Amino acid sequence: MMSSSIGSEHGVLGSDLDEIKGVLNNAHEHLYAVIKDERIRIKQGLEWTQLPYQDKKLIKEIKTLGSQIRNKYENVMFLGIGGSYLGLKAAQDAFCPPYYNEFSSLRKDKPRIYFEGNNLDPDTLSVLLKQLNPKKTFVVVISKSGETTETKAVFMAIEKWLKNVIGKNYAKQVIAITDPESGSLRKKVNKQQLVSKLFFRNLPLLKGVGGRFSEFNMGLLHLAVIGVDIDEVLKGAGEMAERCASCEILKNPAYLYAALHYILYKKKEKSIAVMMPFSETLKSTADWYVQLLAESLGKKYARKIQVSGGLETWQMDLDKIVNVGRTPVSCRGTNDLHSIQQNNIEGRNDKVVTFIKVEKFKNEIKVPVGDEIISGRKFSELIALAQEATVWALAQEARPSCTITLPEVSPYYWGGLLFFLQMATAFEGELLGVNAFDQPGVEGYKNYMYYKLGKTGISADISENIKKHPLVKDNKFIL
Ligand code: PA5
C-alpha cells in the first residue's frame, strides 16, 4: 500500500499519514469514549467490544449444551441469515475439516452441520428435508430481531417437518437465539416455554451487539457443537482487543489498516476492497468480512451526534448525503488467480487487495519427485510462493495490497482476526463520519416485500412512496 513499494501516484506517503494525524486522534478519542461508557456503548451497538471478556459461567453452560446436542443428534441445522449466519459458516469452514459432512471418520461422532434460512431459494431446503430424518435432527434458529422473512419462512417449514413426524414434542429439538424481549421469535419461545421449559430453549443475545459483530455471542453454540475451544477464540479476540486499544497508529494494527485504506479511498480513489485469503478454509471468513464492510460503511447519510444529559445519541444527518463505502469482493488464492486476478492487475486501478496468508497448514503434501520444477516441493511452500508472487505482480502495476499473516488457522488466531477486522471497520466508520452499526439501506427491499404481502402497520409514508413510485419496466427492452 505504501509509496515505497508502488510509487507515489497510487501508494500512501508517510506525509499522508501525518496530514490526517488530527483526524486519527479525534476518531480514537471518540471511539474510546463511546466504548468506555456502557450506556452509549449498548445504545449505539458497540457492546461487541466487550465480548472477549464474557461471563465464564455462561460460556460453560453453552459448552455443556453444545456437547449434549453433539452427543445426541446426527444432524444439526442452523437457521439464520446475514450476521446470524456468516460468522458461523466462517467458523465451520475454518475449523471443521474440508468434506466434514461427507465422511464420518472426519466428524469423529460429531453431527453433520447444515446452514439454512439464508435464502428463499426452495431448492436447497426441499432437497435437504427429503434427506434428513427429523428424529435425528436438532434445529438452532438464530434471529436477533426475530422478524427476518428468510429465517421465519424456513423455520416455519422446518417446524411443520418436525411436527409431522415427532408431534408436539418437536419443540424439544429446537433452540432459539433471539432478542431477550422483542420480536415474534421471542413471543414464540415464551409461548412454548409456558408448556415446558424444555420447549424452544433459548440463549440470550446480548443487548447492543449488532448481527455482523456478533459471532462471539450468537456463534458460540455452533462453536460448542463442533467442539471448537471457545476460550481460545475469546482469548485471541481479547489479546487483539488490547493491541487495538493503543492510540498510536504504528502500534495498533486495526487503526493502521483502517487509516491506510481510508487514505487510499479518499486520495487515490481505491473504492474496491478485495479480500483474498490464500486458504480454502478462510474463504467463508472473507464472505463474513464482505457483510461487515458493506453494511457498516456503505452509507448514504453522514452521522449526526447529539448530546443531551451526558448521553450521546447518533442520528442520520438527512441534510448531509455522503454515499460512502468501499465495495468488498471476496475471493481466494490460488483459485481466483485464474479468474478475478486478471482484472485486479489490468483493470481499473481502483482496488486494494488484502491477502490473508497462513504460515502453517493443518496438513502437508509434497509434489512427488520427478523432473518438473515443482517436484519435491511442499504444497505449503508453493501456496506461499504464489501469494508472494501475486503481491509482486500487483506492485509491478502500481496496485496496492496488504498482507495479514496468520501463524495458523487456530481458534486463537481466528478470534484475533475477527476482532481486528471488526475494530478496523469501527475505526474507519469514525474516519468517514458514518454510523458503522446500523444498516438502514437493508429496509428498502423489506418494506416493498411487506407492502406486497399486505403486512399491517406499515407506515403511511412507506406505502405512499411505493404507490407513487412503482417498479417501472419498459417493455421495449424486454426481449
Ligand atoms: O448485521 C446485521 O444486523 C444484519 O445483517 C442481520 O444480521 C441480518 O439482517 C439478520 O437479522 P436477524 O438476526 O434479526 O434475523
Side-chain angles (χ1 to χ4, degrees):
M1 295 164 102
M2 309 309 296
S3 59
S4 49
S5 304
I6 60 168
S8 56
E9 193 187 342
H10 293 284
V12 178
L13 295 158
S15 58
D16 291 327
L17 273 170
D18 293 339
E19 260 172 38
I20 59 162
K21 233 180 196 155
V23 178
L24 297 175
N25 279 340
N26 292 344
H28 169 72
E29 273 169 24
H30 183 247
L31 188 58
Y32 264 81
V34 172
I35 291 173
K36 275 195 197 126
D37 188 323
E38 190 183 0
R39 289 170 316 160
I40 308 179
R41 196 172 71 216
I42 293 180
K43 193 169 171 36
Q44 302 306 342
L46 281 99
E47 193 62 6
W48 58 271
T49 55
Q50 308 306 304
L51 293 177
Y53 321 110
Q54 276 173 84
D55 181 8
K56 292 264 178 288
K57 204 172 132 246
L58 174 69
I59 305 283
K60 211 168 151 210
E61 281 168 22
I62 294 175
K63 283 186 196 168
T64 309
L65 192 56
S67 68
Q68 285 165 354
I69 298 170
R70 182 167 69 225
N71 295 333
K72 191 160 173 199
Y73 292 93
E74 272 182 17
N75 319 298
V76 182
M77 262 197 250
F78 289 89
L79 316 181
I81 193 165
S84 299
Y85 157 61
L86 289 158
L88 282 75
K89 179 74 166 80
Q92 177 73 24
D93 293 349
F95 300 124
C96 292
Y99 313 109
Y100 170 92
N101 273 359
E102 277 99 317
F103 302 106
S104 58
S105 57
L106 292 175
R107 288 197 305 280
K108 302 199 174 79
D109 296 328
K110 289 198 278 266
R112 290 187 182 85
I113 303 291
Y114 298 95
F115 296 97
E116 272 296 339
N118 50 67
N119 208 326
L120 288 169
D121 179 337
D123 279 342
T124 55
L125 185 65
S126 54
V127 168
L128 186 63
L129 296 189
K130 277 181 202 133
Q131 298 306 316
L132 299 185
N133 178 349
K135 288 186 183 155
K136 295 182 176 175
T137 304
F138 195 86
V139 176
V140 182
V141 52
I142 311 178
S143 176
K144 183 178 153 61
S145 63
E147 299 294 350
T148 304
T149 305
E150 288 86 342
T151 315
K152 206 182 251 185
V154 168
F155 183 44
M156 286 166 77
I158 287 177
E159 275 188 284
K160 186 170 173 231
W161 174 77
L162 288 172
K163 222 187 265 181
N164 282 347
V165 175
I166 299 167
K168 69 175 176 3
N169 281 349
Y170 85 97
K172 275 189 185 174
Q173 283 175 221
V174 176
I175 279 187
I177 303 182
T178 189
D179 186 273
E181 285 153 20
S182 62
S184 59
L185 183 56
R186 167 55 52 195
K187 266 195 212 138
K188 217 170 197 180
V189 170
N190 293 348
K191 202 169 146 201
Q192 282 285 352
Q193 290 207 334
L194 290 176
V195 185
S196 161
K197 276 281 161 212
L198 279 181
F199 280 17
F200 278 21
R201 280 170 291 169
N202 68 107
L203 285 175
L205 258 181
L206 300 181
K207 283 216 165 301
V209 182
R212 57 193 174 275
F213 290 86
S214 70
E215 171 53 17
F216 303 144
N217 181 195
M218 62 169 94
L220 295 183
L221 180 61
H222 165 254
L223 293 178
V225 171
I226 58 173
V228 170
D229 188 341
I230 294 177
D231 299 313
E232 275 294 293
V233 173
L234 296 181
K235 187 173 164 217
E239 289 183 13
M240 183 56 77
E242 275 168 38
R243 294 183 68 191
C244 295
S246 170
C247 63
E248 281 180 57
I249 197 90
L250 291 181
K251 289 198 176 144
N252 184 328
Y255 284 9
L256 184 63
Y257 186 82
L260 295 178
H261 279 90
Y262 172 75
I263 291 168
L264 287 173
Y265 173 63
K266 284 280 187 190
K267 291 186 95 171
K268 317 275 172 175
E269 292 176 13
K270 309 293 178 237
S271 59
I272 297 183
V274 180
M275 180 56 87
M276 193 180 219
F278 268 64
S279 150
E280 258 330 281
T281 63
L282 291 177
K283 169 67 170 67
S284 307
T285 300
D287 294 339
W288 166 85
Y289 179 68
V290 166
Q291 187 211 8
L292 183 72
L293 189 68
E295 287 197 348
S296 304
L297 303 185
K299 296 286 152 78
K300 179 173 180 182
Y301 297 106
R303 175 186 59 180
K304 186 154 77 183
I305 300 176
Q306 280 170 333
V307 184
S308 128
L311 189 66
E312 181 173 311
T313 52
W314 299 357
Q315 260 127 37
M316 285 188 287
D317 188 342
L318 300 180
D319 296 325
K320 203 166 168 196
I321 295 183
V322 285
N323 289 128
V324 290
R326 297 180 291 117
T327 304
V329 175
S330 124
C331 55
R332 81 267 200 218
T334 64
N335 190 298
D336 290 317
L337 297 183
H338 300 264
S339 149
I340 199 171
Q341 183 60 12
Q342 168 64 28
N343 183 281
N344 292 348
I345 293 263
E346 292 191 356
R348 282 193 69 187
N349 192 346
D350 54 0
K351 304 162 198 71
V352 182
V353 182
T354 296
F355 296 105
I356 306 179
K357 175 182 169 182
V358 175
E359 282 185 323
K360 188 168 175 279
F361 287 82
K362 294 187 181 90
N363 300 281
E364 188 58 277
I365 304 180
K366 244 188 191 179
V367 180
V369 175
D371 52 10
E372 297 286 345
I373 50 165
I374 52 172
S375 300
R377 299 286 191 165
K378 292 179 194 154
F379 273 46
S380 60
E381 195 186 330
L382 293 173
I383 196 170
L385 181 60
Q387 191 264 335
E388 183 185 316
T390 312
V391 174
W392 179 84
L394 285 169
Q396 296 318 293
E397 294 293 328
R399 310 279 160 145
S401 74
C402 65
T403 301
I404 298 169
T405 305
L406 286 197
E408 57 186 337
V409 184
S410 67
Y412 173 82
Y413 289 116
W414 187 80
L417 174 67
L418 262 58
F419 195 93
F420 156 75
L421 291 169
Q422 290 176 175
M423 189 52 95
T425 306
F427 191 65
E428 198 176 336
E430 288 294 323
L431 298 176
L432 292 167
V434 295
N435 182 353
F437 309 104
D438 64 1
Q439 55 286 326
V442 180
E443 296 309 310
Y445 100 93
K446 286 189 192 168
N447 288 336
Y448 186 87
M449 274 184 83
Y450 290 153
Y451 172 79
K452 287 278 174 175
L453 290 168
K455 185 178 174 171
T456 50
I458 297 182
S459 86
D461 281 2
I462 292 172
S463 311
E464 273 314 301
N465 189 34
I466 296 172
K467 268 187 230 154
K468 250 200 234 151
H469 303 106
L471 198 57
V472 177
K473 290 181 188 170
D474 189 336
N475 283 333
K476 180 166 79 208
F477 296 106
I478 301 178
L479 307 185

